[in-house]
Amino acid sequence: MNASRDTPVDSSRRRFLINASVLAGGLALGIRAERSDAAQSTPWAPDTASGRELSAWIEITPEDAVIIRVPTPEIGNGAMTQAAMNVTEELACDWSKVRVEFCSMHRDFMEGGVYNRGFLPFFGGHGTNKDRLAYALQLGASARERLKAAAAQRWGVPVADVTAQDSVITHSASGRTLSYGALAADAASITLDAEPALKPQSEWTFLTKASPAKLHIPPLVRGEAVYGIDVQVPGMVHAALRQCPVHGGKLKSYKPEVVLDMPGVRAVVVVDPAKTRGTPVESQATWGFATNQVQSGVAVIADHYWQAKTALEALPVEWDLGAGVNWKDTAMIYAEGEALLDADEAKVLRESGDVNAVTGGRVVEHTYSTPYCENAMIEPLSGTAIVSAGGAEVWCPTQDMLQAYWVAVDETGLKPETVRMHQTYVGGRFGRSTQGDDVRMVVAVAKEYPGVPVKTIWSREDCFEQGRYRTPIFARYRAQLGEDGYPMAVRSRASFIGTHPIYQLPLGYDDQPYFTSGIIPNVHISRNNYPVSVMNGAYRGPCYNTHAFTVETFIDECAVAAGIDPLAYRLHLMSRWDEAWSDCLRVAAEKIGWGRKLPRGEGLGIAISSWPSAAMRGTGTVVCSAAHVAISRAGAIEVKRVDVAFDCGRVANADAVRSQIEGATLFGMNMTLNEQLTIRDGVTEQRNFDSYPMLRLRDPLPDIHVHFEALSGAERIDIIGEAPVGPIGPAIGNAIFQATGKRLRSTPFRNHDLSWS
Amino acid sequence: MAVVNFSVNGQAVQLDADPSTPLLWALRDHLGLTGTKYGCGIAQCGACTVHLNGAATRSCIIPLSAVAGMEVVTIEGLAGEQDHVLQTLWYEMNVPQCGYCQTGIIMAAADLLRRKPDPSDADIDNAITNLCRCGTYPRVRAAIHRAAAQLAGGAA
């Protein structure tokens, strides 16, 4: 049921009303004339092919601009720029002439998955994924050869006699040159006998060599880059949305008449899971729909957001809070999860040898845990959609374009060929916008006010309340140390707390080389999960970010119990494994000055982990962090310095990787020192940044040193955004133990008294 | 509704809107200047920082009625013919990651450099209290110092 003060009007009238609110002065205050930035402020691609494309990915204009259309959202990791670099390497074009657009998922559907290449077109950290990289390189090479063939044809010379470089084709014998732009139209119609072979990596001149800055920085720093919340569509109205504060609760009643006469208010609409229409054809969604169902809610639609928000706050709403309200506090939830560590049954993740047959030895047994945390990206959830009977159009800051597209299809029930989706820039997210629950709510609201573009914005309080939080995990480990001090047997179990099974991941837990390489002969690792109403989801390096803390704190405790230096202990335990891990340990330790004498209250710690496939040699990214901390007598933690060594094979853009490691180190540090959400009566207690402390410049931030010496040089160029989030926390915790003798087995560390005298 | 007169990026504006509307939303929704970002609404994160009569101010808690007769400069109006030195260095030093908080940081930094052409680390700590979830802080600090050096040395 919807209540409306008036019927939706056509967009031309709305545009007039919006303009009319400005009596004088331009709408374009401070926006300068059109620029030729590499990344346009509204960088969405056309849905249909133009005549001058060399492929769906590449268009070269007569003015020599090289437009590269990419399926990788830009969430801060530089994936959009990276995707363009991949094409550029083989295209041999002038980087300064490259423009990037986000591809159209509508076109992808219509043309049979032309952009959906490699391991899922999702958050694009996988821009250097092997399959996708090869595809992008091939696109570049094939386009280049067509440009060469077009030039050779025009000049009447053998194609073998022409060369391509920096967007120019040259016939060196005659000294003639032609720009790519002058040849593009001809090249578009050329058919090659065979597609060219790719250069070996050793002949690359751009990838792994150059470190260009992210292409969207110029419009970004001028305030012109369009994030999801910035989308402006003619005729657009604004929605403020309220969902049940207890996850899973339902709208019971509301009184729209109380707010319908408030300024600017156009309608009050209800979103309801029962109104999801379902996709009419088989979905190609990356993750499916189980994690993004509509939540019961009510939205106020108004001319401006502030009007919508003000009216929503005045709107009387009653909720059927559901069973979730019975969770009196977080401790009650955690007690249930922790109890599962002792359950009779559990799913066995890994078993080798026979832990039951091992008797004796010194026992090291401890339980570790991490709490609910919120993604807390600075850009709140938002999106814009217009839904009508004949089609839909969506603008959203998704981390996964394919997922968002199919969620929109599923929510509207429209044929995919009538749905269009525009990727905007993405403010952070750190996993929050992979599943598309945000896109679904945006579409669900717009569906209730058809024919008009509706922008829905979650307030910061709503973002905290309606998060899909970091999965809380309890993990217990029990080691029996042999006479040499190393484990004869390790038994471990983890309890995951949450509703969504896809975020009960064991990555970085049972697959650690300690447990897979055979160095510990008897291993038994199992897991349980405890489903609760509070929804969990993806939070940078999901679950891995906990496992790294629990495994690496436990190993450190074993080393201490054995009386063996923690670095030497790890090196021994890695002695049957990929040398890259040991190299990372050695480099990080050397750089931080491992073993040196420090004043009282200071300590060094080290930790290592790998995302996303630790058990497979030569895959993923392994990161070792070494931390130097100082604990004041009052117990304040200062992380003075961090040294990071890593192996992801090779790096495509060294400064992009450095930037990711710096940022991920601070993210992991903040997660470990500060972050914690608590629940009371089923509702998140933290509502905004004033109750959710996060690192700022004025906090004692470490000098972060990123070292490239441990890179193995293997041909893979693996992902870097998640892995460094893991080891920094346990490295700090292990250093705190060295400094104070206090062992921290739960986060956030700010909950612990570290004072000493 | 009431008409509020002020100036934005050097142009006179008369805005007919609820005077309790925060300046942030007046800029974004009524004037289409979306470079000023919403992050928290309670002056915690600084994404909404603008210059109000020259001083860095969090626009999310300033009602429109309070800016009558005042001069507002947003990120869109920070540069002259050329980019501000901070904008140039932000690109050269690859400072932003997702970038969402960065316009607010740049506005705070520009105000700092105007007040203190050679800021110390402590000056930066006190002036840049903005939140950045991506962890660009080390590069923000380095870029402000380099901007100060370039301004002191004349041409960049």
Side-chain angles (χ1 to χ4, degrees), chain A residues 27 29-30 214 221-222 227 229-230 305 374-375 428 430 460 655 659-660 662-663 670 675 688 695-696, chain B residues 14 22 28-31 33 37-40 44 76 83 87 94 96-99 129 133-134 137 139:
Chain A
L27 270 177
L29 303 165
K214 287 180 277 291
V221 296
R222 296 172 190 137
Y227 293 80
I229 201 170
D230 300 330
Y305 174 69
E374 154 64 9
N375 295 58
F430 315 103
R460 175 56 56 191
D655 191 59
S659 162
Q660 280 297 291
E662 289 167 359
N670 191 47
E675 289 187 58
N688 208 320
L695 289 178
R696 296 177 194 255
Chain B
Q14 285 185 310
R28 291 181 56 84
D29 281 2
H30 295 257
L31 301 177
L33 295 173
K37 305 300 189 190
Y38 166 61
C40 67
Q44 279 284 314
E76 291 91 343
D83 280 342
Q87 291 169 315
N94 200 23
Q97 290 192 27
C98 87
T129 56
R133 183 60 155 155
C134 296
Y137 299 128
R139 289 184 188 225

Side-chain angles (χ1 to χ4, degrees), chain A residues 57-68:
Chain A
W57 288 58
I58 302 170
E59 178 172 339
I60 300 175
T61 71
E63 296 75 33
D64 231 20
V66 179
I67 300 167
I68 300 177

Side-chain angles (χ1 to χ4, degrees), chain A residues 537-551:
Chain A
Y539 171 104
R540 198 170 188 174
C543 302
Y544 158 85
N545 55 48
T546 296
H547 302 316
F549 171 67
T550 68
V551 172

